[in-house]
Every structure is written in C-alpha cells, then in structure tokens.
C-alpha cells in the first residue's frame, strides 16, 4: 500500500522546501499543528523515502556562471522543484530487500523510526541484522 500524502505531509514538505534548516518549532507555528505531530510525520516521510535529505537552498544568483550551471543540472532540481499535491502517493520499498511493498506492509516501529517491509520474513531478518543498532537507538531515545 503506497503511503498517501495528506495536507499535513504536504505542508511539512513544502515548508522544508522553502528552507531546509527550519526547526520543527517554526513548522509547528506555520502549520498550526502540534510538535509531536510534526515530528512523527517528518520521521515517517523520511522512513518511507520521500524526504531523502535536507539540502541547503542555493541562491544561484550568488554563484558564478560555471557553478550555476552545475547546480541547475544537479541536486537542486531534484529536491526543490517538486509540486506535491494532497492525495499523491509515495511508492514504498521494502527496507530489507528493496522490493515494492504491496497492500499489506509490515511495519516495525522503534523510537522515532518506522521501517517498512514487504513481508514478515524481511521484517524479522532486518531486526536480527540490525539488533545492536536498533538497541542503541532505543537507548538513546530514552535519555
Ligand atoms: Zn522484503
């Protein structure tokens, strides 16, 4: 089941597209939703792979021509020029095997993270493979 974007998701992404260094608090104020909601939604958007990274917004007016060309062809295009609409869906891939996830994703939640898998076998294998890392993330979240 692809993750369907709603207005809150779109609001967060749009807000971060304007300024990737924005704090959760600024987004909370802008969108008038609670901090836990913004945090949970943000982490989910990262988990499902829509938000790849928060990249700086480059003001190409400040660059000399050769670099400007480079930026226009490069990363900037990918992360800052998407027009997202409510109801769009994000295709999710299994966090272990990379296959597209079907109607019933297996979800594994720990701390602030959610991981999605195509089947229970992948979920179990992922947990075993990353046991140490998951444990330390959970410990850190408790502090
Ligand atoms: Zn899988």
């Amino acid at each position: 089941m692809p993750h369907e974007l709603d207005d809150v998701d779109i609001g967060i992404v749009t807000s971060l597209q304007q300024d990737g260094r924005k704090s959760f608090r600024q987004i909370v104020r802008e969108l008038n939703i609670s901090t836990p909601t913004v945090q949970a939604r943000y982490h989910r958007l990262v988990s499902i792979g829509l938000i790849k990274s928060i990249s700086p917004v480059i003001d190409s007016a400040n660059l000399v021509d050769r670099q400007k060309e480079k930026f226009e062809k490069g990363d900037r295009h990918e992360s800052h020029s998407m027009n997202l609409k409510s109801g769009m869906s994000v295709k999710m891939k299994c966090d272990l095997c990379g296959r597209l996830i079907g109607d019933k994703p297996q979800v594994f939640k720990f701390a602030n993270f959610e991981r999605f898998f195509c089947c229970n076998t992948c979920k179990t294998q992922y947990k075993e493979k990353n046991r140490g890392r998951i444990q330390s993330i959970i410990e850190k979240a408790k502090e």
Side-chain angles (χ1 to χ4, degrees):
M1 180 184 65
H3 176 77
E4 197 166 295
L5 298 172
D6 65 13
D7 290 336
V8 177
D9 295 327
I10 309 281
I12 292 170
V13 174
T14 308
S15 176
L16 283 169
Q17 279 179 318
Q18 287 156 9
D19 179 4
R21 291 165 307 175
K22 229 174 243 181
S23 66
F24 285 143
R25 203 181 304 165
Q26 278 175 284
I27 299 172
V28 165
R29 240 177 293 148
E30 261 177 50
L31 302 179
N32 201 22
I33 46 180
S34 71
T35 308
T37 303
V38 171
Q39 282 173 340
R41 290 306 189 95
Y42 173 79
H43 285 293
R44 166 169 288 167
L45 291 169
V46 172
S47 295
I48 64 174
L50 181 66
I51 298 180
K52 233 188 205 169
S53 66
I54 299 300
S55 49
V57 178
I58 307 297
D59 186 352
S60 40
N62 290 334
L63 296 167
V64 293
D65 274 347
R66 215 189 300 161
Q67 280 171 321
K68 184 174 156 188
E69 234 178 68
K70 218 199 295 186
F71 275 113
E72 279 173 353
K73 284 180 192 155
D75 298 344
R76 189 184 177 198
H77 187 72
E78 190 181 288
S79 50
H80 292 282
S81 58
M82 289 291 296
N83 277 317
L84 298 172
K85 288 193 198 88
S86 182
M88 273 183 170
S89 310
V90 183
K91 282 186 212 156
M92 296 197 292
K93 282 183 185 157
C94 176
D95 274 307
L96 190 83
C97 71
R99 275 197 309 177
L100 228 51
I101 295 175
D103 285 340
K104 284 179 188 157
Q106 297 289 320
V107 186
F108 171 44
K109 292 186 190 185
F110 58 102
N112 258 331
F113 296 90
E114 281 179 298
R115 289 287 175 262
F116 302 92
F117 304 96
C118 63
C119 60
N120 207 26
T121 312
C122 280
K123 182 173 154 184
T124 309
Q125 276 182 23
Y126 178 89
K127 278 193 210 173
E128 278 168 18
K129 231 172 106 180
N130 298 285
R131 196 183 295 156
R133 212 157 56 92
I134 293 164
Q135 201 53 47
S136 72
I137 288 170
I138 294 171
E139 290 303 319
K140 260 193 198 148
K142 282 184 197 157
E143 280 165 18

